[in-house]
Each structure stands twice: as C-alpha cells, then as structure tokens.
C-alpha cells in the first residue's frame, strides 16, 4: 500500500487508461475502492485497478511480468508464488 495525493492518483489513472467520466466497460481498467486489513491489523481504504473483461485479453507484457516478479521478491514472497 502507498499513500499518494490526488495529483499522483490522477497520474495512475492516466497510466491505467482509466477515465472516471467514461462508461465503466469502455475503460481498459476501472478503479474501485476496497477495504484492506494491514499487517498491523488496521483497516484502511485503498484504490485498486481492475481489468475490464474482454473476449481476447492477451498475455501480460514481459515488462509487467518482470515488475511483478521483482515486487514479489522485494516483499519476500517465496519463488513458488
């Protein structure tokens, strides 16, 4: 989880292709608010991006897979994950 300001949230929206005023199914990803329980058992609100289902979504890019693998390693997740 990251704490960001409205300016950075807008930048994330742009990167994810999300526009609040666009119909949900026309966004490649939409943003939703969820409740998350942190490791110290606090409950916080968080924004997540969810891919809009498509008929042929394709595969994630090698760049994105590398990002996920690096992030998992940084968090100490086992390689089996």
């Amino acid at each position: 989880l990251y704490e960001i300001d409205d300016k950075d949230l807008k930048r994330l929206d742009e990167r994810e292709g999300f526009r609040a005023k666009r119909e949900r199914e026309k966004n490649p990803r939409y943003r939703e608010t969820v409740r998350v329980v942190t490791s110290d058992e606090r409950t916080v609100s968080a924004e997540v991006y969810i891919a809009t289902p498509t008929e042929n979504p394709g595969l994630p890019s090698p760049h994105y897979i590398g990002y996920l693998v690096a992030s998992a390693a940084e968090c100490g997740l086992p390689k089996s994950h």
Side-chain angles (χ1 to χ4, degrees):
L1 292 173
Y2 297 94
E3 189 171 330
I4 61 173
D5 59 24
D6 289 341
K7 179 182 172 186
D8 289 330
L9 184 58
K10 183 178 178 182
R11 290 177 63 208
L12 276 173
D13 284 348
E14 290 173 7
R15 180 169 172 80
E16 295 293 334
F18 172 75
R19 293 187 192 154
K21 294 182 181 181
R22 186 189 293 164
E23 292 177 37
R24 183 176 180 161
E25 61 275 358
K26 291 187 178 179
N27 277 305
R29 280 164 287 289
Y30 58 93
R31 182 166 37 96
E32 193 167 296
T33 304
V34 297
R35 306 292 288 165
V36 176
V37 178
T38 64
S39 59
D40 60 358
E41 298 188 17
R42 292 180 299 125
T43 301
V44 298
S45 292
E47 300 295 321
V48 297
Y49 293 92
I50 301 169
T52 301
T54 61
E55 192 170 316
N56 296 306
L59 298 173
S61 70
H63 174 76
Y64 186 68
I65 292 171
Y67 172 77
L68 292 176
V69 170
S71 296
E74 185 177 322
C75 291
L77 291 175
K79 287 185 179 186
S80 62
H81 283 66

